[in-house]
Amino acid sequence: MGDNMSDDLKSGALVYHRLPRPGKLEIQATKPLGNQRDLALAYSPGVAAACMAIHEDPQEAATLTIRQNLVAVLTNGTAVLGLGDIGPLASKPVMEGKAVLFKKFAGIDVFDIEVDQHDVDRLVDVVCALEPTFGGINLEDIKAPECFEVEERCRARMNIPVFHDDQHGTAIIVAAAILNALELAGKNLADVRIVTSGAGAAALACLNLLVSLGATRENITVTDIKGVVYKGRPELMDRWKEVYAQETEARTLAEVIPGADVFIGLSAGGVLKPEYLERMADKPLIMALANPYPEIMPDLAQEKRPDAMICTGRSDFPNQVNNVLCFPYIFRGALDVGATSINEEMKKAAVKAIAALARETPSDVVARAYGGEARPFGPRSLIPSPFDPRLILRIAPAVAQAAMDSGVAGRPLENIHAYADSLDRFVHRSGFIMKPIFSKAKENPKRVIYSEGEDERVLRAIQAIVEDKVARPILVGRPRVIETRIKRFGLSVRQGEDFDLIDPEDDPRYRDYVASYLEIAGRRGITPDAARTLVRTNNTVIGAIAVRRGEADALICGLEGRFESRLRAIRDVIGLAPGVLDFAAMSLIVTKKGAFFLADTHVRADPSAEEIADVAVACAEHVSRFGLTPKIALLSHSDFGQSDSRSAVKMRSALSLIQARSPALQVDGEMQADSALSELIRDRVLPGSRLKGSANVLVFPNLDAANIAFQFAKVLADALPVGPLLIGPAKPAHILSPSVTARGIVNVTAAAVVEAQAADVLTTPPAEPGAALTTA
């Protein structure tokens, strides 16, 4: 593998590992250690209480320590990737990389452990001695056949999951691909002929799992470096390989490949000759998994057999068999139910979950990872992408359920659906905070119009919106463009059936829209010619008119162009809600420490105390829709009267106005940001503040402060943004930023639907627009 690496990739990899600090991992404390009491709780004498609780009940280790979320990635370095026996020290970068994958994809903490030991007995003793530390053991890069022996003996002695990923991870993905390929080919697993090239740990694990799923042992032929594995063969045999020895006179791969339905290659590049393919069965599945060079290159295989389905281990071809598809999520499910092992039922559950996910509509996250192209289920998409965020949502609950059903769960879950919801919050960090909004939206979906209906993110968003039954989408865009892009992105939504369309180039409502626009703007400088042009060319105006006319309930725009021009169209066509003086924007950021609503991040440059009071009360109403109690902090550079600067006095005055208007609100200020987020700090400055706990609504003194804070939080806190949400229009309308993702569009859509539900009771017409229409 190393010899085939380009100089550029090699030098880049070394820089990546060296800078800004060596390695890929660090250990972080999860509890504060900022004072003497923290030290007393974390260590002596307080830690004794935790120790004795575990001594009296070992199950308490799962609640008092990291153990139940901690996995050992352990190797002796005897079979590292394609590098061979390079030793435990040289294997450490690989083990660190595996640890990063566990954390990234499933939130599991890992210690990588490299053991300088070749003797099986001693290696087993080392692994088993680690049981008090870990909730699971992931064996990695141990050569065959020793890997079989080590795993088998450790599983027998240990009461936690022991999983050799090189065997079972590969087997699970291969099995999922085979199930889907056979479905497309119209074949049954029990009937197909399977031929392997390679008889190592991964190949034999694949066959064992396929047999447990229904494959017939008599239909399986194994070949390795010495040829066909036949009964009585004296060379390179062991008890694991012997299981698949056949009574046959055939001795080479060329002799056994005719009529084969499935080829599984886990051997060496080039061993599957093009002429062999001509003799395989109809619609064969070729799994050429040797790296970096497959047993046959996919383009050559496709040329010889256009009807073949092909998988490789490489990321530059379709159908990549990559273990990251399953191992993080199998451990996630196993750890979360306190499984004592990962058994056959759990592996089969993972296979079926992966196969089923491949048949679902591709995710927008997958599309971004692959440059905008995500293939629908078919010969070139037999298995999901490693970047599909739904993997954890499908595999972990399936594995957890199988562990409970098979009796190996030490801590069974009370509610598997609640567990799945908790995983959804891990995948989409907005999941928890948005859940009440989505639940409410589904009760009474509304019509939401999207001005940039041809945008890929909008199209991917409406796929999710239609599947979740959140809204009835209306797209502004050209039908032929939208149809072409839907096919290109592998989406299943259909015009008329799943969404409606307004064609700006040729729509029967064009004249009515021009008339409506002139009625709104005719006395403010807009001529009939200008109106006709705008209704043809300005999609935000089209969407706003649809909302104004009652043909849509909410507008989503802003993926292209300037915020101000979109705001102008909304102001002039939809107008302000009764009693509202001006718009404002509230942005939600979801961080590891919670969800925070920031205002005003996009509209009012330097609001007065009265405007700040208006915005704060309006934000409180919106936050309540999220199922949260609004806790409002009026932010300043000053803490509770420490300064009499203009902005501090303004925020102080706003507090008085808010308290007079909404005395039940939890609100305080003016205060600094740390006082807003920490009750401990706040109490030092002003004991007895009406605000309790951490504020979740942060109101800033001006636009610069709010927007800068919002942008900093997105980057420095690795926060997930939702919005901005526009406050104040007569009917729901939101202007997103050009950086928004499809998931962001879905989130704002749900919020807009809930707003539209609340607006159903309003019968007062929009307030008279206050600004002139423009063509900007």
Side-chain angles (χ1 to χ4, degrees):
M1 177 177 286
D3 293 339
N4 298 307
M5 191 186 307
S6 69
D7 290 340
D8 177 67
L9 184 59
K10 186 181 296 184
S11 62
L14 293 176
V15 170
Y16 175 87
H17 283 78
R18 285 187 177 123
L19 300 174
R21 55 187 294 184
K24 299 189 284 280
L25 298 173
E26 67 176 1
I27 294 175
Q28 286 188 328
T30 60
K31 301 292 165 53
L33 200 64
N35 53 47
Q36 184 61 40
R37 177 168 174 78
D38 289 345
L39 183 60
L41 294 171
Y43 200 54
S44 181
V47 72
C51 293
M52 292 310 298
I54 296 170
H55 177 70
E56 293 165 6
D57 179 6
Q59 290 294 326
E60 287 290 347
T63 65
L64 294 171
T65 74
I66 193 180
R67 183 176 186 263
Q68 209 52 48
N69 196 53
L70 185 63
V71 166
V73 172
L74 187 147
T75 188
N76 65 354
T78 53
V80 181
L81 300 178
L83 304 173
D85 186 354
I86 62 174
L89 183 60
S91 76
K92 189 171 179 65
V94 178
M95 302 307 115
E96 285 189 0
K98 192 71 176 279
V100 170
L101 297 178
F102 265 108
K103 187 68 173 180
K104 169 68 176 177
F105 289 102
I108 294 172
D109 296 306
V110 167
F111 289 161
D112 64 291
I113 298 179
E114 295 76 32
V115 181
D116 189 5
Q117 186 56 255
H118 284 65
D119 182 82
V120 170
D121 292 336
R122 292 183 178 181
L123 184 57
V124 168
D125 287 342
V126 168
V127 177
C128 293
L130 296 171
E131 183 168 350
T133 301
F134 297 99
I137 304 288
N138 184 97
L139 300 175
E140 191 80 14
D141 291 350
I142 301 172
K143 70 182 180 72
E146 288 88 339
C147 60
F148 300 117
E149 188 79 26
V150 171
E151 184 191 43
E152 186 178 276
R153 290 166 60 180
C154 288
R155 289 186 63 179
R157 287 174 55 180
M158 302 178 77
N159 204 37
I160 58 174
V162 179
F163 186 82
H164 186 212
D165 183 46
D166 297 325
Q167 293 180 57
H168 307 300
T170 302
I172 287 166
I173 304 160
V174 165
I178 289 175
L179 292 184
N180 278 344
L182 296 183
E183 178 178 312
L184 290 172
K187 300 177 182 180
N188 295 316
L189 182 58
D191 302 328
V192 297
R193 281 200 58 231
I194 301 171
V195 173
T196 77
S197 174
L204 294 178
C206 290
L207 297 178
N208 292 340
L209 184 55
L210 287 170
V211 169
S212 74
L213 287 164
T216 306
R217 199 181 302 272
E218 289 72 25
N219 290 342
I220 297 171
T221 305
V222 175
T223 69
D224 62 9
I225 196 170
K226 293 296 183 179
V228 174
V229 174
Y230 61 89
K231 286 190 181 296
R233 195 181 89 168
E235 301 170 288
L236 288 181
M237 294 297 289
D238 54 54
R239 63 186 174 95
W240 297 281
K241 198 182 298 186
E242 185 69 39
V243 171
Y244 294 99
Q246 299 284 15
E247 291 281 4
T248 178
E249 297 298 320
R251 294 294 183 266
T252 67
L253 177 62
E255 293 176 81
V256 297
I257 200 72
D261 298 280
V262 178
F263 169 82
I264 302 174
L266 286 153
S267 55
V271 302
L272 185 64
K273 306 302 180 185
E275 57 268 24
Y276 296 178
L277 273 61
E278 297 173 350
R279 290 176 270 164
M280 293 184 72
D282 291 340
K283 298 179 181 178
L285 172 62
I286 299 166
M287 307 201 76
L289 306 180
N291 261 327
Y293 297 114
E295 283 78 3
I296 187 169
M297 291 300 291
D299 50 353
L300 182 56
Q302 205 76 65
E303 180 183 335
K304 281 291 182 182
R305 286 298 299 264
D307 63 334
M309 292 169 275
I310 305 165
C311 300
T312 72
R314 292 171 49 146
S315 60
D316 53 344
F317 291 105
N319 293 323
Q320 183 196 14
V321 173
N322 187 328
N323 288 13
V324 79
L325 274 165
C326 68
F327 72 79
Y329 317 116
I330 291 172
F331 269 98
R332 182 73 280 158
L335 293 174
D336 290 339
V337 295
T340 56
S341 67
I342 295 174
N343 59 25
E344 205 69 12
E345 288 77 11
M346 295 160 73
K347 288 185 281 184
K348 288 193 287 186
V351 170
K352 294 173 182 177
I354 293 170
L357 177 56
R359 297 191 289 269
E360 295 185 31
T361 300
S363 159
D364 68 287
V365 177
V366 176
R368 292 202 305 275
Y370 286 97
E373 295 185 11
R375 300 180 183 91
F377 176 60
R380 292 169 63 82
S381 186
L382 297 173
I383 46 181
S385 158
F387 293 98
D388 196 319
R390 297 169 296 182
L391 285 163
I392 192 172
L393 305 179
R394 306 296 186 268
I395 300 173
V399 169
Q401 186 66 60
M404 293 188 288
D405 293 344
S406 60
V408 298
R411 295 188 316 279
L413 300 168
E414 293 184 4
N415 187 327
I416 194 70
H417 300 294
Y419 173 62
D421 283 347
S422 72
L423 295 174
D424 186 70
R425 296 197 294 271
F426 176 82
V427 176
H428 302 301
R429 288 171 293 174
S430 60
F432 179 74
I433 190 69
M434 293 299 298
K435 189 170 181 60
I437 295 292
F438 277 91
S439 297
K440 181 72 173 173
K442 291 176 185 180
E443 292 175 4
N444 183 17
K446 296 294 183 180
R447 300 162 300 169
V448 179
I449 189 166
Y450 302 84
S451 291
E452 291 86 6
E454 298 174 4
D455 191 284
E456 176 186 351
R457 293 164 292 175
V458 169
L459 295 175
R460 293 193 180 281
I462 67 163
Q463 178 74 52
I465 289 162
V466 168
E467 289 175 355
D468 290 343
K469 297 181 173 64
V470 171
R472 174 70 181 191
I474 305 169
L475 304 184
V476 180
R478 295 162 292 178
R480 63 185 182 280
V481 174
I482 290 173
E483 183 178 355
T484 298
R485 292 181 179 179
I486 285 173
K487 291 179 180 177
R488 182 193 306 166
F489 304 143
L491 305 176
S492 62
V493 289
R494 294 291 177 265
Q495 179 187 342
E497 182 178 341
D498 300 309
F499 67 89
D500 299 312
L501 187 70
I502 294 178
D503 180 2
E505 293 182 346
D506 183 20
D507 195 282
R509 291 160 291 191
Y510 172 69
R511 293 181 183 277
D512 292 337
Y513 274 41
V514 170
S516 294
Y517 195 37
L518 282 171
E519 182 183 346
I520 300 166
R523 291 186 178 274
R524 283 179 282 119
I526 295 297
T527 65
D529 284 343
R532 283 190 285 270
T533 299
L534 281 170
V535 175
R536 283 277 191 224
T537 61
N538 191 319
N539 286 7
T540 303
V541 168
I542 295 171
I545 293 173
V547 172
R548 173 86 180 212
R549 286 167 54 91
E551 296 173 3
D553 300 300
L555 166 67
I556 306 290
C557 64
L559 281 79
E560 301 169 2
R562 298 181 58 176
F563 187 95
E564 291 81 4
S565 64
R566 304 295 181 267
L567 184 65
R568 205 172 296 129
I570 292 170
R571 183 192 304 276
D572 295 336
V573 178
I574 295 177
L576 294 163
V580 174
L581 300 176
D582 197 359
F583 295 118
M586 177 180 71
S587 298
L588 166 61
I589 56 168
V590 184
T591 73
K592 293 178 181 179
K593 293 189 175 182
F596 302 94
F597 298 83
L598 282 60
D600 173 4
T601 53
H602 286 77
V603 179
R604 306 192 191 195
D606 187 14
S608 65
E610 290 77 10
E611 289 178 300
I612 287 171
D614 287 342
V615 169
V617 173
C619 284
E621 181 181 347
H622 278 263
V623 171
S624 297
R625 294 190 183 124
F626 287 80
L628 300 174
T629 299
K631 299 180 179 182
I632 305 171
L634 305 177
L635 297 184
S636 172
H637 70 95
S638 169
D639 248 340
F640 303 109
Q642 292 178 349
S643 170
D644 287 328
S645 69
R646 188 178 71 87
S647 65
V649 170
K650 178 172 70 174
M651 302 307 278
R652 208 177 302 156
S653 300
L655 174 64
S656 299
L657 294 170
I658 296 169
Q659 289 174 333
R661 287 175 52 182
S662 304
L665 278 180
Q666 276 199 59
V667 58
D668 214 338
E670 83 282 14
M671 69 177 74
Q672 295 179 351
D674 57 352
S675 298
L677 300 178
S678 169
E679 187 172 17
L680 179 64
I681 295 173
R682 189 163 60 248
D683 284 347
R684 291 173 185 164
V685 181
L686 185 70
S689 168
R690 293 183 59 191
L691 185 61
K692 302 301 178 185
S694 174
N696 55 19
V697 181
L698 308 178
V699 181
F700 292 81
N702 57 51
L703 178 61
D704 286 343
N707 193 268
I708 290 169
F710 176 54
Q711 304 299 341
F712 259 107
K714 285 197 300 183
V715 178
L716 297 183
D718 191 26
L720 179 71
V722 178
L725 303 174
L726 191 64
I727 296 173
K731 294 186 177 181
H734 298 293
I735 308 168
L736 304 180
S737 65
S739 62
V740 71
T741 63
R743 171 55 52 176
I745 296 170
V746 173
N747 286 337
V748 174
T749 297
V753 169
V754 174
E755 283 184 74
Q757 292 170 352
D760 279 345
V761 298
L762 296 179
T763 56
T764 307
E768 183 67 24
L773 280 160
T774 70
T775 58

